[in-house]
């Protein structure tokens, strides 16, 4: 007689997440370029003369992100972060430019006052 109660060893079943799609290389290239540009704009916004450049870089990068999304691009976290950093670079650049302009004006006035006081003696 045969033993029909043979039990097969437990085998782990692996499931893929629903809606999984392979990574598109064109998306990765575009998203990486947008993210790098946004990060560079944020870094530039902290320096005196570069803050003006960061304003234009941030505005241009945000426009590229919106154009990419308007063409039907994927709206992923990487693209969202690029958009947020571009906007932050724009506002940070504006604030830094105003701050540095006020500081420059203040120091120029102080130097003028000190030099005029020294000339009177």
């Amino acid at each position: 007689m045969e033993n029909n109660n043979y039990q097969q060893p437990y085998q782990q079943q692996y499931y893929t997440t629903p809606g999984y799609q392979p990574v598109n290389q064109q998306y990765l290239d575009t998203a990486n370029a947008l993210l790098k540009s946004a990060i560079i704009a944020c870094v530039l916004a902290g320096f005196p003369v570069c803050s003006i450049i960061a304003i234009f870089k941030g505005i241009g990068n945000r426009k590229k992100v919106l154009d990419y999304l308007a063409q039907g691009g994927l709206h992923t976290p990487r693209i969202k972060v690029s958009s947020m950093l571009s906007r932050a670079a724009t506002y940070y650049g504006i604030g830094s430019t105003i701050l540095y302009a006020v500081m420059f004006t203040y120091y120029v006035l102080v130097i003028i006052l000190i030099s005029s006081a020294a000339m009177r003696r």
Side-chain angles (χ1 to χ4, degrees):
M1 293 242 150
E2 292 182 24
N3 185 1
N4 290 336
N5 292 333
Y6 175 69
Q7 294 179 351
Q8 292 185 355
Y10 177 74
Q11 189 172 17
Q12 177 76 26
Q13 294 184 4
Y14 297 99
Y15 296 100
T16 58
T17 57
Y20 172 75
Q21 297 176 353
V23 178
N24 183 359
Q25 188 62 35
Q26 183 181 4
Y27 157 75
L28 283 178
D29 294 340
T30 304
N32 286 339
L34 291 173
L35 188 58
K36 286 177 188 176
S37 181
I39 291 171
I40 290 170
C42 281
V43 170
L44 288 177
F47 297 105
V49 177
C50 296
S51 61
I52 298 168
I53 297 168
I55 295 169
F56 295 112
K57 202 161 183 56
I59 290 172
N61 195 46
R62 176 128 166 86
K63 187 176 183 308
K64 288 179 188 176
V65 168
L66 294 177
D67 288 344
Y68 171 75
L69 292 174
Q71 293 173 358
L74 297 174
H75 201 283
T76 60
R78 189 175 290 185
I79 297 297
K80 291 177 187 177
V81 169
S82 298
S83 176
M84 288 184 280
L85 286 177
S86 297
R87 185 175 283 178
T90 302
Y91 295 140
Y92 182 35
I94 291 169
S96 294
T97 302
I98 292 170
L99 176 70
Y100 291 130
V102 169
M103 286 174 50
F104 179 74
T105 306
Y106 173 76
Y107 287 132
V108 167
L109 288 176
V110 167
I111 290 171
I112 289 173
L113 289 174
I114 290 173
S115 64
S116 68
M119 295 293 239
R120 291 185 191 202
R121 289 186 169 188

